[in-house]
Amino acid sequence: MAIIGSAADFIYYNGNRRTEEIQPAKLLQVYEHHTPEADAAIVEFWKTEQALPRHDDDFVLQRLNEVLFVVLNEQNEIVGVCSGIPSYFEQIRNHFLYFRVFVRPDWRGLNRGVASSLFFATFDLFDRLKVLDGQPIIGVLTVYESRHLNGVVNLYHSAEHRNQVFVGWTPRDEQIRITYFND
């Protein structure tokens, strides 16, 4: 199922910077702009890709309400979805946007930038808003559930990724990283 959007609706990133140049992966902001068509396409994407741990209606509806952006290919098919919720991070004693992303396997890697574009768009949006669902947040919290990322990302700090900082490990040996908003 394809999502229809006009060229004016799409957001593009080249590396870590927003650009007006058309890119192979185009982002569409869903946060505060849900439509029945987009929601149906997201649910179909999740089910087809088996991206969620459960597919009961209550769980899917909850997750759907948490979607922030989708990435579309040239045929306007979803190839990536990100969502987020406000979450209290005990080690820092403050609220962050807990960032989740799922990318279709054939769009992972190969420098396609799908996951990173979703991260940059999410960071840039909430760096302006600094609130999610009425909860003030001070940054983005990301847990690297990907075995691949945990094996190749070894930087303690990444200026390229909005000054993302490594802060520890989960009990499942997944990296925890935070990125503070500006100011």
Side-chain angles (χ1 to χ4, degrees):
M1 175 180 277
I3 293 181
I4 305 301
S6 71
D9 296 331
F10 298 124
I11 300 167
Y12 301 99
Y13 276 80
N14 187 351
N16 66 356
R17 298 287 172 228
R18 190 167 171 167
T19 182
E20 297 302 316
E21 289 179 38
I22 294 175
Q23 302 293 312
K26 50 192 172 187
L27 287 90
L28 188 63
Q29 182 179 328
V30 178
Y31 179 73
E32 297 184 333
H33 301 286
H34 281 267
T35 65
E37 297 81 16
D39 288 352
I42 293 166
V43 170
E44 182 178 311
F45 170 76
W46 282 338
K47 287 181 179 179
T48 300
E49 298 300 326
Q50 300 176 351
L52 298 178
R54 300 182 358 224
H55 290 287
D56 56 277
D57 290 343
D58 290 341
F59 183 79
V60 170
L61 182 58
Q62 174 191 337
R63 268 303 168 89
L64 194 55
N65 289 327
E66 298 167 357
V67 171
L68 307 172
F69 288 92
V70 296
V71 173
L72 308 170
N73 63 14
E74 289 87 0
Q75 293 76 38
N76 289 338
E77 300 167 327
I78 297 175
V79 296
V81 175
C82 74
S83 61
I85 56 172
S87 181
Y88 187 76
F89 188 46
E90 184 64 40
Q91 290 87 330
I92 306 293
R93 296 183 182 160
N94 219 315
H95 290 89
F96 287 80
L97 182 156
Y98 182 76
F99 178 72
R100 297 181 298 237
V101 64
F102 181 86
V103 177
R104 202 169 78 185
D106 61 326
W107 275 77
R108 295 176 188 163
L110 303 173
N111 296 319
R112 291 183 187 235
V114 175
S116 57
S117 292
L118 287 166
F119 171 79
F120 296 134
T122 298
F123 179 90
D124 292 349
L125 174 64
F126 288 97
D127 184 44
R128 288 191 314 274
L129 299 176
K130 294 185 177 54
V131 66
L132 176 60
D133 296 336
Q135 173 63 56
I137 51 178
I138 65 167
V140 177
L141 170 72
T142 307
V143 175
Y144 285 11
E145 293 182 2
S146 162
R147 224 176 298 142
H148 172 74
L149 286 178
N150 280 299
V152 299
V153 178
N154 59 10
L155 303 169
Y156 285 94
H157 172 266
S158 174
E160 178 184 343
H161 287 91
R162 305 292 192 268
N163 294 310
Q164 190 176 70
V165 178
F166 170 77
V167 293
W169 298 92
T170 70
R172 293 177 16 190
D173 287 330
E174 300 163 330
Q175 294 183 39
I176 304 169
R177 294 182 171 269
I178 61 169
T179 313
Y180 288 105
F181 294 136
N182 296 312
D183 305 322

